[in-house]
Amino acid sequence: MAGGKIQKKRHGAGTGGGGARLQGGIPFEKSKGQHILRNPALVDSIVAKAGLKPTDTVLEIGPGTGNLTKRLLEAGVKAVVAVELDPRMVLELNRRFQGHPLSSRLKVIQGDVLKCDLPYFDICVANIPYQISSPLTFKLLSHRPIFRCAVIMFQREFAMRLVAQPGDSLYCRLSVNVQLLSRVSHLLKVGRNNFRPPPKVDSSVVRIEPRKPLPPVSFKEWDGLVRICFNWKNKTLGSLFKQKRVLELLEKNYKIMQSLQLAQDAEMGEEKMSADDVALLANMVEDLSMETPDEKEDDEMEMDDSDMGGDGGTSFKEKIMGILQQGDFAEKRGSKLSQVDFLYLLSLFNKAGIHFS
């Protein structure tokens, strides 16, 4: 199923005189993102691009009436596990595949995909309700064991944020975090008229391949840095890191690390992103939604020109500025930085004993 930003209707409300309904007369609920993909050629194309193998267990999310489910089963995979929230759709699926020669390969789970424990799967192929795009993406990326890939249809703008590159207008914190954990590629654009009923937006199919192994970085550290850089993504890093609240946070972390006498250079060099670390992504959904906050005006940025006094008489602010200048980052902007740039900048801060968590 798929859905755009459409106003919710009361649970169980009909769709009106010309509203779309299931074969049994059950109305679709737009509030649940129930927009059924009705173009058979498009369904076939999605399955073909998934690169399925006979040994694959496929996870399908929001199967709806089972158009994609049927193609997945016919592709000769080992099993299809379909997770569906709407009990009416579960009944429809069971009725449709009852007595089907491949029905033994299908398992239907009724429940909220964001709340239930996902079973083992090799690949995810899904046409999802768009309102769960962000939390679902990060739930999949935190799933263990790591799956091979996911081929998912998203609202087009969300998909374009996932694949955006440095300098693109849609490049944001969502782009940076997803691309840290996976390789993302755009597969095809899907017009709204391929659905019944048509949503108000176009869609895109995206391929997400989790990185194996995960990058050798603490995600807490990574996101702390990226969060600062994208608060005002078109401001220079030199301006961002002069903010009083940023300096106070970093100096507090700096003093804590010093007091604990941790050998940070050695430890951070060995630190890896753990499954628990990645799982923190699930709690960041509200910050990583498709919508990005409006840029704040210059006069809203609380700057600090005082001596923070955090390094034996040397201004802590000067210490921070020195790190930025060392990597030639002071005049650069977060919206222009690549994954390699962020990793390098984080390593410079960490080597100087500056941490973001």
Side-chain angles (χ1 to χ4, degrees):
M1 292 184 295
K5 290 187 175 179
I6 299 172
Q7 287 197 341
K8 294 186 177 181
K9 293 190 175 185
R10 295 189 306 277
H11 182 81
T15 56
R21 293 173 178 266
L22 299 179
Q23 186 175 359
I26 304 173
F28 290 112
E29 291 190 17
K30 292 182 180 180
S31 64
K32 293 181 179 178
Q34 291 177 352
H35 297 263
I36 305 303
L37 189 59
R38 64 185 179 88
N39 184 337
L42 187 56
V43 174
D44 290 340
S45 179
I46 292 173
V47 173
K49 290 180 180 296
L52 300 174
K53 300 178 181 179
T55 55
D56 282 343
T57 294
V58 181
L59 174 68
E60 185 187 5
I61 299 162
T65 57
N67 292 340
L68 178 57
T69 313
K70 182 174 182 291
R71 296 295 198 280
L72 291 172
L73 290 171
E74 292 172 346
V77 296
K78 179 180 179 180
V80 174
V81 180
V83 181
E84 173 58 58
L85 175 64
D86 191 339
R88 305 170 312 153
M89 294 294 184
V90 172
L91 290 174
E92 183 75 11
L93 277 170
N94 289 330
R95 181 163 50 243
R96 177 171 185 174
F97 292 102
Q98 185 176 14
H100 191 283
L102 298 175
S103 61
S104 61
R105 298 183 184 180
L106 174 63
K107 179 180 180 181
V108 181
I109 299 175
Q110 181 181 335
D112 186 338
V113 69
L114 298 180
K115 297 178 181 179
C116 67
D117 293 330
L118 296 179
Y120 171 87
F121 63 96
D122 299 289
I123 186 168
C124 175
V125 183
N127 172 27
I128 66 170
Y130 291 155
Q131 58 264 38
I132 68 169
S133 295
S134 189
L136 176 62
T137 298
F138 290 107
K139 177 162 186 173
L140 290 175
L141 288 173
S142 65
H143 181 74
R144 294 299 179 273
I146 294 177
F147 54 95
R148 188 167 78 250
C149 78
V151 175
I152 304 178
M153 189 178 303
F154 293 111
Q155 180 175 332
R156 181 162 175 79
E157 186 176 345
F158 184 89
M160 292 299 97
R161 291 184 186 277
L162 291 183
V163 302
Q165 296 299 304
D168 292 349
S169 61
L170 292 178
Y171 189 63
C172 59
R173 187 164 154 242
L174 173 69
S175 319
V176 174
N177 280 319
V178 171
Q179 292 173 28
L180 174 74
L181 303 172
S182 63
R183 295 177 180 84
V184 191
S185 55
H186 182 269
L187 297 180
L188 58 101
K189 181 179 179 180
V190 181
R192 64 195 74 183
N193 290 330
N194 288 285
F195 298 94
R196 179 171 58 90
K200 294 183 178 179
V201 294
D202 290 329
S203 306
S204 280
V205 179
V206 169
R207 183 183 183 93
I208 301 174
E209 299 177 76
R211 295 187 186 275
K212 293 184 286 187
L214 290 169
V217 62
S218 161
F219 184 78
K220 289 182 181 180
E221 290 277 336
W222 170 271
D223 185 59
L225 170 63
V226 172
R227 187 187 297 266
I228 292 173
C229 293
F230 277 93
N231 274 344
W232 293 269
K233 69 175 184 177
N234 289 319
K235 305 298 182 184
T236 65
L237 299 189
S239 296
L240 290 175
F241 280 88
K242 286 179 183 176
Q243 293 181 80
K244 183 176 180 179
R245 57 178 179 165
V246 173
L247 289 170
E248 289 176 344
L249 172 64
L250 296 183
E251 186 177 26
K252 178 181 178 181
N253 291 344
Y254 179 71
K255 289 180 176 179
I256 290 175
M257 291 299 183
Q258 283 190 322
S259 67
L260 294 175
Q261 298 181 344
L262 297 176
Q264 290 298 324
D265 287 353
E267 290 190 10
M268 291 308 296
E270 296 298 322
E271 189 162 2
K272 297 290 189 294
M273 190 182 298
S274 66
D276 289 340
D277 207 14
V278 178
L280 292 172
L281 290 163
N283 298 320
M284 298 165 41
V285 172
E286 67 278 6
D287 298 320
L288 291 167
S289 63
M290 190 191 72
E291 302 295 333
T292 54
D294 293 334
E295 286 233 358
K296 300 177 182 177
E297 300 297 329
D298 291 342
D299 57 6
E300 292 184 20
M301 297 177 63
E302 185 181 8
M303 312 304 285
D304 181 81
D305 294 321
S306 64
D307 188 339
M308 299 291 287
D311 192 21
T314 301
S315 164
F316 186 77
K317 181 176 70 176
E318 290 176 2
K319 183 180 182 73
I320 296 295
M321 293 303 106
I323 295 170
L324 293 175
Q325 292 166 2
Q326 177 185 351
D328 195 27
F329 285 107
E331 298 303 317
K332 293 183 178 179
R333 292 166 169 77
S335 60
K336 308 290 185 181
L337 298 185
S338 67
Q339 296 283 319
V340 173
D341 292 330
F342 280 115
L343 287 169
Y344 178 45
L345 179 57
L346 181 58
S347 72
L348 291 177
F349 276 117
N350 287 166
K351 288 177 181 178
I354 308 297
H355 296 277
F356 294 84
S357 64

